[in-house]
Amino acid sequence: MDLAGVFIFGLSGGTLAVRHRLDLFGVLVLSMAAALAGGVARDLLLGAAPPATFRDDRYLWAALASGLAAFFFHRPILRLVKPVMVLDAAGLGLFTVAGCSKALDYGMEPLPAVLLAVITACGGGVLRDLLVTEIPRVLREEIYAVAALLGAVIVVAGGRLGLPDLPVAIAAVAATFALRVVSVVRGWSAPRAPGS
């Protein structure tokens, strides 16, 4: 899940960089930032040092490959409806599950594991958006972190009920992806402060 999330989030970063007309170096930087920041933050918070990104070069290769794919094949990717949002929703689901599962494997209690899953899922997207001077999606009115919360709760609940890992992971990724995409299509947003 981690490597799939790295590649998909890398595509979202690279595609956004192409839309902002960045050069090859800029596309690779944005791709790697989106792909790796959440996992690095997760591992550092878990005390898993050095982070998996720097212990296993497959993470770096996956991030680089996704940046190159976005650079050379951006036209077919951009034909998707809202390509960055779709890729971002898929990466959000994958990283939510990977983050929550790793936190639980490290013996964290459910609530901190859910929080760490959200940090893992949102971290790369936050850095990606900041690097192109956009307000991070997690802070906008769109449903973003709430979708990651839903996926993490499914992982925790599945573990508590003793359900098999793979079906739980698939359900959590699907629920996160679906909530994120439907919220954008329907224009759903998180509540705002009364009178604001």
Side-chain angles (χ1 to χ4, degrees):
M1 289 250 179
D2 246 1
L3 287 172
V6 163
F7 187 81
I8 290 174
F9 257 144
L11 276 178
S12 81
T15 304
L16 186 63
V18 168
R19 280 185 26 209
H20 279 268
R21 303 181 54 80
L22 301 183
D23 63 12
L24 176 59
F25 182 74
V27 170
L28 293 176
V29 166
L30 213 60
S31 178
M32 293 185 78
L36 303 173
V40 169
R42 173 201 64 209
D43 288 354
L44 291 175
L45 289 169
L46 284 173
T53 297
F54 302 112
R55 282 184 283 116
D56 183 346
D57 66 352
R58 292 178 302 166
Y59 289 91
L60 295 170
W61 285 117
L64 282 171
S66 64
L68 291 171
F71 186 80
F72 289 109
F73 304 108
H74 61 275
R75 284 190 180 93
I77 294 170
L78 290 172
R79 284 193 200 113
L80 294 168
V81 177
K82 298 191 178 222
V84 173
M85 186 274 297
V86 170
L87 292 169
D88 195 54
L92 189 72
L94 290 166
F95 269 0
T96 295
V97 172
C100 193
S101 298
K102 190 163 186 176
L104 293 171
D105 289 346
Y106 269 70
M108 291 188 96
E109 293 295 319
L111 186 57
V114 167
L115 177 62
L116 196 58
V118 174
I119 291 169
T120 304
C122 298
V126 168
L127 185 56
R128 175 201 62 211
D129 294 346
L130 290 174
L131 286 172
V132 292
T133 64
E134 291 184 1
I135 297 171
R137 284 168 172 74
V138 71
L139 300 179
R140 295 185 210 167
E141 60 268 8
E142 296 174 349
I143 303 292
Y144 193 86
V146 174
L149 268 170
L150 172 64
V153 167
I154 291 170
V155 172
V156 168
R160 287 291 169 112
L161 294 171
L163 300 174
D165 291 342
L166 185 58
V168 169
I170 291 169
V173 170
T176 303
F177 178 84
L179 179 56
R180 173 79 180 116
V181 170
V182 170
S183 72
V184 171
V185 170
R186 297 275 188 177
W188 296 345
S189 62
R192 295 182 182 169
S196 66

